[in-house]
mmCIF file of all heavy atoms in Angstrom:
data_model
loop_
_atom_site.group_PDB
_atom_site.id
_atom_site.type_symbol
_atom_site.label_atom_id
_atom_site.label_comp_id
_atom_site.label_asym_id
_atom_site.label_seq_id
_atom_site.Cartn_x
_atom_site.Cartn_y
_atom_site.Cartn_z
ATOM 1 N N LYS H 29 16.590 -0.154 21.098
ATOM 2 C CA LYS H 29 15.725 -1.121 21.776
ATOM 3 C C LYS H 29 14.452 -1.346 20.983
ATOM 4 O O LYS H 29 13.963 -2.474 20.857
ATOM 5 C CB LYS H 29 15.381 -0.623 23.189
ATOM 6 C CG LYS H 29 16.522 -0.741 24.179
ATOM 7 C CD LYS H 29 16.062 -0.315 25.562
ATOM 8 C CE LYS H 29 17.158 -0.504 26.595
ATOM 9 N NZ LYS H 29 16.711 -0.100 27.942
ATOM 10 N N MET H 30 13.890 -0.249 20.447
ATOM 11 C CA MET H 30 12.673 -0.363 19.667
ATOM 12 C C MET H 30 12.893 -1.222 18.430
ATOM 13 O O MET H 30 12.071 -2.084 18.085
ATOM 14 C CB MET H 30 12.194 1.032 19.253
ATOM 15 C CG MET H 30 10.887 1.034 18.484
ATOM 16 S SD MET H 30 9.482 0.606 19.540
ATOM 17 C CE MET H 30 9.378 2.100 20.532
ATOM 18 N N GLU H 31 14.021 -0.990 17.738
ATOM 19 C CA GLU H 31 14.317 -1.762 16.533
ATOM 20 C C GLU H 31 14.521 -3.239 16.870
ATOM 21 O O GLU H 31 14.045 -4.124 16.159
ATOM 22 C CB GLU H 31 15.561 -1.195 15.849
ATOM 23 C CG GLU H 31 15.326 0.144 15.168
ATOM 24 C CD GLU H 31 14.211 0.060 14.125
ATOM 25 O OE1 GLU H 31 14.334 -0.755 13.200
ATOM 26 O OE2 GLU H 31 13.221 0.795 14.268
ATOM 27 N N ASN H 32 15.233 -3.518 17.960
ATOM 28 C CA ASN H 32 15.439 -4.913 18.385
ATOM 29 C C ASN H 32 14.117 -5.571 18.754
ATOM 30 O O ASN H 32 13.889 -6.749 18.468
ATOM 31 C CB ASN H 32 16.401 -4.964 19.572
ATOM 32 C CG ASN H 32 17.829 -4.642 19.178
ATOM 33 O OD1 ASN H 32 18.205 -4.823 18.012
ATOM 34 N ND2 ASN H 32 18.616 -4.170 20.119
ATOM 35 N N SER H 33 13.246 -4.816 19.407
ATOM 36 C CA SER H 33 11.946 -5.341 19.802
ATOM 37 C C SER H 33 11.093 -5.678 18.590
ATOM 38 O O SER H 33 10.412 -6.703 18.556
ATOM 39 C CB SER H 33 11.204 -4.332 20.686
ATOM 40 O OG SER H 33 11.925 -4.101 21.879
ATOM 41 N N LYS H 34 11.125 -4.802 17.581
ATOM 42 C CA LYS H 34 10.359 -5.054 16.370
ATOM 43 C C LYS H 34 10.856 -6.308 15.656
ATOM 44 O O LYS H 34 10.060 -7.107 15.149
ATOM 45 C CB LYS H 34 10.430 -3.838 15.444
ATOM 46 C CG LYS H 34 9.605 -2.651 15.930
ATOM 47 C CD LYS H 34 9.679 -1.487 14.960
ATOM 48 C CE LYS H 34 8.806 -0.326 15.428
ATOM 49 N NZ LYS H 34 8.883 0.828 14.499
ATOM 50 N N LYS H 35 12.171 -6.470 15.612
ATOM 51 C CA LYS H 35 12.729 -7.667 14.981
ATOM 52 C C LYS H 35 12.314 -8.921 15.749
ATOM 53 O O LYS H 35 12.006 -9.950 15.158
ATOM 54 C CB LYS H 35 14.257 -7.562 14.933
ATOM 55 C CG LYS H 35 14.765 -6.515 13.951
ATOM 56 C CD LYS H 35 16.279 -6.418 13.982
ATOM 57 C CE LYS H 35 16.774 -5.353 13.006
ATOM 58 N NZ LYS H 35 18.251 -5.208 13.046
ATOM 59 N N TYR H 36 12.323 -8.814 17.067
ATOM 60 C CA TYR H 36 11.895 -9.930 17.914
ATOM 61 C C TYR H 36 10.435 -10.294 17.633
ATOM 62 O O TYR H 36 10.089 -11.464 17.450
ATOM 63 C CB TYR H 36 12.086 -9.537 19.379
ATOM 64 C CG TYR H 36 11.356 -10.410 20.385
ATOM 65 C CD1 TYR H 36 11.739 -11.728 20.603
ATOM 66 C CD2 TYR H 36 10.298 -9.880 21.130
ATOM 67 C CE1 TYR H 36 11.073 -12.513 21.535
ATOM 68 C CE2 TYR H 36 9.635 -10.660 22.062
ATOM 69 C CZ TYR H 36 10.026 -11.970 22.264
ATOM 70 O OH TYR H 36 9.361 -12.744 23.182
ATOM 71 N N LEU H 37 9.583 -9.290 17.547
ATOM 72 C CA LEU H 37 8.165 -9.535 17.306
ATOM 73 C C LEU H 37 7.913 -10.049 15.891
ATOM 74 O O LEU H 37 7.004 -10.851 15.667
ATOM 75 C CB LEU H 37 7.355 -8.267 17.556
ATOM 76 C CG LEU H 37 7.291 -7.819 19.021
ATOM 77 C CD1 LEU H 37 6.533 -6.511 19.143
ATOM 78 C CD2 LEU H 37 6.652 -8.880 19.889
ATOM 79 N N GLU H 38 8.712 -9.595 14.932
ATOM 80 C CA GLU H 38 8.603 -10.123 13.572
ATOM 81 C C GLU H 38 8.933 -11.609 13.553
ATOM 82 O O GLU H 38 8.258 -12.405 12.884
ATOM 83 C CB GLU H 38 9.539 -9.358 12.640
ATOM 84 C CG GLU H 38 9.065 -7.942 12.338
ATOM 85 C CD GLU H 38 10.118 -7.115 11.629
ATOM 86 O OE1 GLU H 38 11.225 -7.662 11.363
ATOM 87 O OE2 GLU H 38 9.863 -5.930 11.356
ATOM 88 N N HIS H 39 9.952 -11.987 14.321
ATOM 89 C CA HIS H 39 10.325 -13.404 14.419
ATOM 90 C C HIS H 39 9.202 -14.209 15.084
ATOM 91 O O HIS H 39 8.858 -15.310 14.630
ATOM 92 C CB HIS H 39 11.619 -13.543 15.222
ATOM 93 C CG HIS H 39 11.994 -14.957 15.523
ATOM 94 N ND1 HIS H 39 12.499 -15.819 14.574
ATOM 95 C CD2 HIS H 39 11.917 -15.677 16.681
ATOM 96 C CE1 HIS H 39 12.724 -16.997 15.121
ATOM 97 N NE2 HIS H 39 12.384 -16.939 16.394
ATOM 98 N N VAL H 40 8.631 -13.650 16.154
ATOM 99 C CA VAL H 40 7.528 -14.321 16.853
ATOM 100 C C VAL H 40 6.327 -14.479 15.919
ATOM 101 O O VAL H 40 5.705 -15.543 15.864
ATOM 102 C CB VAL H 40 7.117 -13.532 18.112
ATOM 103 C CG1 VAL H 40 5.821 -14.086 18.697
ATOM 104 C CG2 VAL H 40 8.220 -13.597 19.159
ATOM 105 N N ALA H 41 6.006 -13.423 15.177
ATOM 106 C CA ALA H 41 4.867 -13.468 14.253
ATOM 107 C C ALA H 41 5.064 -14.544 13.191
ATOM 108 O O ALA H 41 4.130 -15.293 12.867
ATOM 109 C CB ALA H 41 4.683 -12.101 13.600
ATOM 110 N N GLU H 42 6.266 -14.641 12.639
ATOM 111 C CA GLU H 42 6.557 -15.666 11.634
ATOM 112 C C GLU H 42 6.406 -17.066 12.219
ATOM 113 O O GLU H 42 5.863 -17.973 11.584
ATOM 114 C CB GLU H 42 7.971 -15.472 11.089
ATOM 115 C CG GLU H 42 8.127 -14.220 10.225
ATOM 116 C CD GLU H 42 9.574 -13.955 9.850
ATOM 117 O OE1 GLU H 42 10.448 -14.757 10.279
ATOM 118 O OE2 GLU H 42 9.836 -12.966 9.143
ATOM 119 N N MET H 43 6.886 -17.256 13.450
ATOM 120 C CA MET H 43 6.788 -18.554 14.106
ATOM 121 C C MET H 43 5.331 -18.927 14.367
ATOM 122 O O MET H 43 4.903 -20.054 14.084
ATOM 123 C CB MET H 43 7.573 -18.528 15.424
ATOM 124 C CG MET H 43 7.542 -19.837 16.217
ATOM 125 S SD MET H 43 6.100 -19.976 17.339
ATOM 126 C CE MET H 43 6.473 -18.671 18.518
ATOM 127 N N LEU H 44 4.555 -17.975 14.889
ATOM 128 C CA LEU H 44 3.150 -18.245 15.189
ATOM 129 C C LEU H 44 2.362 -18.572 13.928
ATOM 130 O O LEU H 44 1.552 -19.505 13.912
ATOM 131 C CB LEU H 44 2.528 -17.040 15.899
ATOM 132 C CG LEU H 44 3.012 -16.727 17.318
ATOM 133 C CD1 LEU H 44 2.403 -15.425 17.819
ATOM 134 C CD2 LEU H 44 2.674 -17.864 18.274
ATOM 135 N N TRP H 45 2.593 -17.806 12.857
ATOM 136 C CA TRP H 45 1.842 -18.034 11.633
ATOM 137 C C TRP H 45 2.221 -19.361 10.977
ATOM 138 O O TRP H 45 1.364 -20.082 10.466
ATOM 139 C CB TRP H 45 2.049 -16.888 10.653
ATOM 140 C CG TRP H 45 1.099 -16.960 9.501
ATOM 141 C CD1 TRP H 45 1.345 -17.422 8.241
ATOM 142 C CD2 TRP H 45 -0.281 -16.599 9.535
ATOM 143 N NE1 TRP H 45 0.212 -17.366 7.467
ATOM 144 C CE2 TRP H 45 -0.809 -16.856 8.243
ATOM 145 C CE3 TRP H 45 -1.129 -16.073 10.500
ATOM 146 C CZ2 TRP H 45 -2.145 -16.618 7.915
ATOM 147 C CZ3 TRP H 45 -2.448 -15.830 10.176
ATOM 148 C CH2 TRP H 45 -2.949 -16.104 8.901
ATOM 149 N N SER H 46 3.525 -19.696 11.010
ATOM 150 C CA SER H 46 3.959 -20.949 10.388
ATOM 151 C C SER H 46 3.422 -22.162 11.148
ATOM 152 O O SER H 46 3.142 -23.204 10.556
ATOM 153 C CB SER H 46 5.487 -21.011 10.324
ATOM 154 O OG SER H 46 6.047 -21.058 11.633
ATOM 155 N N LYS H 47 3.265 -22.027 12.467
ATOM 156 C CA LYS H 47 2.792 -23.155 13.276
ATOM 157 C C LYS H 47 1.275 -23.266 13.299
ATOM 158 O O LYS H 47 0.725 -24.376 13.368
ATOM 159 C CB LYS H 47 3.303 -23.030 14.718
ATOM 160 C CG LYS H 47 4.754 -23.433 14.896
ATOM 161 C CD LYS H 47 5.079 -23.527 16.382
ATOM 162 C CE LYS H 47 6.480 -24.094 16.594
ATOM 163 N NZ LYS H 47 6.774 -24.284 18.035
ATOM 164 N N HIS H 48 0.591 -22.131 13.270
ATOM 165 C CA HIS H 48 -0.852 -22.158 13.515
ATOM 166 C C HIS H 48 -1.697 -21.628 12.359
ATOM 167 O O HIS H 48 -2.835 -22.057 12.188
ATOM 168 C CB HIS H 48 -1.167 -21.395 14.802
ATOM 169 C CG HIS H 48 -0.416 -21.895 15.988
ATOM 170 N ND1 HIS H 48 -0.726 -23.081 16.622
ATOM 171 C CD2 HIS H 48 0.661 -21.385 16.651
ATOM 172 C CE1 HIS H 48 0.121 -23.271 17.640
ATOM 173 N NE2 HIS H 48 0.963 -22.260 17.671
ATOM 174 N N GLY H 49 -1.178 -20.676 11.616
ATOM 175 C CA GLY H 49 -1.853 -20.192 10.425
ATOM 176 C C GLY H 49 -3.342 -19.988 10.567
ATOM 177 O O GLY H 49 -3.807 -19.060 11.236
ATOM 178 N N GLU H 50 -4.123 -20.859 9.939
ATOM 179 C CA GLU H 50 -5.566 -20.703 9.876
ATOM 180 C C GLU H 50 -6.260 -20.786 11.240
ATOM 181 O O GLU H 50 -7.401 -20.348 11.387
ATOM 182 C CB GLU H 50 -6.165 -21.778 8.952
ATOM 183 C CG GLU H 50 -5.653 -21.722 7.521
ATOM 184 C CD GLU H 50 -5.965 -20.387 6.860
ATOM 185 O OE1 GLU H 50 -7.032 -19.825 7.147
ATOM 186 O OE2 GLU H 50 -5.129 -19.918 6.061
ATOM 187 N N THR H 51 -5.593 -21.378 12.227
ATOM 188 C CA THR H 51 -6.218 -21.511 13.554
ATOM 189 C C THR H 51 -5.598 -20.556 14.577
ATOM 190 O O THR H 51 -5.717 -20.760 15.779
ATOM 191 C CB THR H 51 -6.068 -22.955 14.072
ATOM 192 O OG1 THR H 51 -4.673 -23.286 14.178
ATOM 193 C CG2 THR H 51 -6.754 -23.933 13.134
ATOM 194 N N ILE H 52 -4.957 -19.515 14.083
ATOM 195 C CA ILE H 52 -4.240 -18.612 14.988
ATOM 196 C C ILE H 52 -5.184 -17.904 15.960
ATOM 197 O O ILE H 52 -4.792 -17.501 17.055
ATOM 198 C CB ILE H 52 -3.414 -17.582 14.186
ATOM 199 C CG1 ILE H 52 -2.325 -16.983 15.089
ATOM 200 C CG2 ILE H 52 -4.304 -16.506 13.564
ATOM 201 C CD1 ILE H 52 -1.264 -16.234 14.331
ATOM 202 N N GLU H 53 -6.460 -17.771 15.579
ATOM 203 C CA GLU H 53 -7.409 -17.100 16.484
ATOM 204 C C GLU H 53 -7.692 -17.926 17.741
ATOM 205 O O GLU H 53 -8.254 -17.413 18.716
ATOM 206 C CB GLU H 53 -8.736 -16.810 15.765
ATOM 207 C CG GLU H 53 -9.548 -18.035 15.402
ATOM 208 C CD GLU H 53 -9.183 -18.594 14.028
ATOM 209 O OE1 GLU H 53 -8.133 -18.198 13.487
ATOM 210 O OE2 GLU H 53 -9.970 -19.407 13.510
ATOM 211 N N ASP H 54 -7.299 -19.203 17.734
ATOM 212 C CA ASP H 54 -7.518 -20.054 18.905
ATOM 213 C C ASP H 54 -6.431 -19.883 19.964
ATOM 214 O O ASP H 54 -6.547 -20.435 21.063
ATOM 215 C CB ASP H 54 -7.567 -21.528 18.491
ATOM 216 C CG ASP H 54 -8.747 -21.824 17.584
ATOM 217 O OD1 ASP H 54 -9.775 -21.145 17.726
ATOM 218 O OD2 ASP H 54 -8.631 -22.731 16.738
ATOM 219 N N LEU H 55 -5.387 -19.135 19.649
ATOM 220 C CA LEU H 55 -4.270 -18.979 20.575
ATOM 221 C C LEU H 55 -4.569 -17.961 21.669
ATOM 222 O O LEU H 55 -5.373 -17.046 21.485
ATOM 223 C CB LEU H 55 -3.012 -18.523 19.834
ATOM 224 C CG LEU H 55 -2.466 -19.411 18.725
ATOM 225 C CD1 LEU H 55 -1.186 -18.803 18.161
ATOM 226 C CD2 LEU H 55 -2.215 -20.819 19.230
ATOM 227 N N CYS H 56 -3.902 -18.132 22.798
ATOM 228 C CA CYS H 56 -3.886 -17.137 23.873
ATOM 229 C C CYS H 56 -2.449 -16.650 24.010
ATOM 230 O O CYS H 56 -1.529 -17.465 24.156
ATOM 231 C CB CYS H 56 -4.347 -17.743 25.193
ATOM 232 S SG CYS H 56 -6.046 -18.300 25.178
ATOM 233 N N ILE H 57 -2.258 -15.354 23.959
ATOM 234 C CA ILE H 57 -0.909 -14.789 24.033
ATOM 235 C C ILE H 57 -0.868 -13.770 25.157
ATOM 236 O O ILE H 57 -1.642 -12.812 25.177
ATOM 237 C CB ILE H 57 -0.508 -14.138 22.698
ATOM 238 C CG1 ILE H 57 -0.558 -15.178 21.572
ATOM 239 C CG2 ILE H 57 0.886 -13.530 22.805
ATOM 240 C CD1 ILE H 57 -0.231 -14.625 20.207
ATOM 241 N N ILE H 58 0.039 -13.995 26.109
ATOM 242 C CA ILE H 58 0.182 -13.094 27.254
ATOM 243 C C ILE H 58 1.358 -12.163 26.986
ATOM 244 O O ILE H 58 2.478 -12.621 26.726
ATOM 245 C CB ILE H 58 0.402 -13.874 28.568
ATOM 246 C CG1 ILE H 58 -0.847 -14.682 28.916
ATOM 247 C CG2 ILE H 58 0.695 -12.922 29.713
ATOM 248 C CD1 ILE H 58 -0.914 -16.041 28.306
ATOM 249 N N LEU H 59 1.091 -10.870 27.046
ATOM 250 C CA LEU H 59 2.077 -9.842 26.707
ATOM 251 C C LEU H 59 2.296 -8.892 27.886
ATOM 252 O O LEU H 59 1.385 -8.680 28.691
ATOM 253 C CB LEU H 59 1.598 -9.043 25.503
ATOM 254 C CG LEU H 59 1.348 -9.836 24.211
ATOM 255 C CD1 LEU H 59 0.551 -9.000 23.226
ATOM 256 C CD2 LEU H 59 2.664 -10.259 23.595
ATOM 257 N N PRO H 60 3.480 -8.289 27.970
ATOM 258 C CA PRO H 60 3.755 -7.383 29.091
ATOM 259 C C PRO H 60 3.224 -5.969 28.926
ATOM 260 O O PRO H 60 3.244 -5.195 29.870
ATOM 261 C CB PRO H 60 5.291 -7.378 29.141
ATOM 262 C CG PRO H 60 5.707 -7.678 27.746
ATOM 263 C CD PRO H 60 4.678 -8.603 27.185
ATOM 264 N N SER H 61 2.764 -5.586 27.714
ATOM 265 C CA SER H 61 2.292 -4.219 27.520
ATOM 266 C C SER H 61 1.318 -4.133 26.349
ATOM 267 O O SER H 61 1.315 -4.980 25.451
ATOM 268 C CB SER H 61 3.466 -3.269 27.259
ATOM 269 O OG SER H 61 4.031 -3.518 25.981
#
């Protein structure tokens, strides 16, 4: 589960950076933990 979660978050990180990059600090991200 941990390995799958890390892969999921790596995918999310790549998506966020590719879409927002230099303005990523303007985002709001709601997380469960």
Side-chain angles (χ1 to χ4, degrees):
K29 286 184 176 180
M30 183 70 71
E31 288 302 302
N32 289 335
S33 298
K34 287 182 178 179
K35 290 178 181 178
Y36 164 69
L37 292 177
E38 288 169 1
H39 173 74
V40 170
E42 290 172 0
M43 180 273 293
L44 292 174
W45 191 259
S46 65
K47 282 191 173 184
H48 305 286
E50 300 300 325
T51 60
I52 199 166
E53 68 271 14
D54 296 330
L55 300 182
C56 296
I57 301 178
I58 294 87
L59 301 165
S61 70

